[in-house]
Amino acid sequence: MKISAIVLAGGKGSRMNSDIQKQYLLLCGKPVLYYALQAFQHSSVDEIILVVGTGMVQNISEEEYCKKEFIDNCHFNKIKHIVMGGSERYDSVMNGLAAIHNDVDYILIHDGARPCITVELIERCIQDVIDCKACVAAVPVKDTIKVVDSKNYAVSTPDRSTLWQIQTPQCFEYNMIWKAYHNMAADTDKSNITDDAMVVEKYSDNKVKMTYSSYKNIKITTPEDLQIAKTFLFDKLSEDKTSVK
């Protein structure tokens, strides 16, 4: 059995109000992207395909920066390919899938801007995808959700007990996700496709299981997210030091 991870790191992070792409901002002394790659490096996945943007970091291309920072300096030897992303998230995923060979059994797709991912969560996702063929990391929503109209007036209130907040990794049997993405590519209407589970739900007959995740597995989107992630990571680093002692 072979398992590959696609780590998406091609975002520009326009809501961060920073000249530096959010995945390369420093968090507890390391680039945000470092933590996701480290978790997959220490997990049971066999290879990592890193999907990057076409911008510049420290006066070199993102591809060169990632090779230097993560392969040469950090020795993340599971990174087998660094490929360019596309204009949309699903384009970047397809580019990552194209870099994977057919001997892969399962694919885990993760946002590089989620630095609080843990090895334990990755392993839970792997077990669920083996059992169910399709699963996503997720948590039940805590707040009441309102559906609104075009003028922001509430029109309905879904039952909160049926609502989950979707995260990553999103994990699939290789043949399933490959076929679903190629079916999507042939569709002229790709509007409202925001994650991989939607591709599977819309372009295959498979159901997607929710794998219970952690509320700490946040995505860095705005400056305050960086501060929250710093607290979570500081706690984790402190726990790791204590366990070593």
Side-chain angles (χ1 to χ4, degrees):
M1 183 176 66
K2 186 174 181 180
I3 303 170
S4 296
I6 296 174
V7 177
L8 302 172
K12 295 184 174 67
S14 56
R15 283 175 285 181
M16 286 298 296
N17 299 319
S18 172
D19 294 332
I20 302 172
Q21 300 91 322
K22 62 183 179 182
Q23 60 270 25
Y24 306 123
L25 290 170
L26 291 184
L27 177 62
C28 296
K30 299 285 188 181
V32 167
L33 179 57
Y34 165 87
Y35 298 98
L37 294 174
Q38 181 192 46
F40 282 101
Q41 173 70 26
H42 293 301
S43 75
S44 59
V45 303
D46 298 290
E47 66 175 4
I48 301 168
I49 290 81
L50 179 58
V51 184
V52 301
T54 56
M56 304 287 287
V57 187
Q58 298 179 359
N59 297 319
I60 58 176
S61 70
E62 292 187 45
E63 181 180 9
E64 292 177 280
Y65 171 84
C66 287
K67 182 180 183 302
K68 177 182 176 182
E69 182 70 26
F70 303 120
I71 297 179
D72 297 342
N73 294 346
C74 297
H75 307 293
F76 291 160
N77 59 5
K78 287 188 179 181
I79 301 176
K80 302 302 183 183
H81 305 282
I82 300 178
V83 301
M84 294 297 105
S87 59
E88 302 291 342
R89 185 184 189 279
Y90 52 74
D91 295 317
S92 295
V93 173
M94 288 199 71
N95 291 351
L97 288 171
I100 295 174
H101 299 296
N102 291 330
D103 59 343
V104 170
D105 298 289
Y106 299 99
I107 304 292
L108 280 64
I109 304 169
H110 185 65
D111 296 324
R114 289 187 188 271
C116 299
I117 180 73
T118 63
V119 174
E120 291 78 11
L121 176 55
I122 293 171
E123 298 303 329
R124 281 207 305 277
C125 287
I126 290 173
Q127 187 57 59
D128 273 358
V129 75
I130 292 171
D131 292 341
C132 305
K133 297 186 178 181
C135 69
V136 298
V139 289
V141 300
K142 295 180 178 181
D143 300 320
T144 297
I145 305 297
K146 295 287 185 180
V147 177
V148 301
D149 61 19
S150 60
K151 295 182 179 180
N152 291 340
Y153 285 96
V155 295
S156 65
T157 305
D159 180 359
R160 186 172 62 186
S161 67
T162 66
L163 301 176
W164 286 61
Q165 179 181 332
I166 303 305
Q167 304 174 349
T168 65
Q170 302 199 2
C171 317
F172 310 94
E173 188 180 58
Y174 173 80
N175 288 334
M176 173 199 302
I177 193 67
W178 178 258
K179 290 176 182 177
Y181 261 96
H182 276 264
N183 288 338
M184 183 200 69
D187 191 350
T188 56
D189 181 15
K190 301 179 183 65
S191 59
N192 299 321
I193 297 292
T194 57
D195 73 344
D196 312 295
M198 290 181 70
V199 176
V200 168
E201 290 158 4
K202 186 173 181 179
Y203 298 102
S204 80
D205 297 324
N206 296 278
K207 292 184 177 181
V208 179
K209 180 181 180 179
M210 303 295 104
T211 296
Y212 199 94
S213 180
S214 166
Y215 291 98
K216 294 182 178 182
N217 186 27
I218 65 170
K219 186 176 181 180
I220 305 297
T221 304
T222 60
E224 49 268 27
D225 294 331
L226 207 59
Q227 295 301 316
I228 296 169
K230 187 180 296 184
T231 300
F232 291 156
L233 284 173
F234 181 81
D235 290 344
K236 182 179 184 300
L237 292 171
S238 298
E239 290 173 3
D240 290 346
K241 289 180 181 179
T242 302
S243 64
V244 170
K245 291 178 183 179

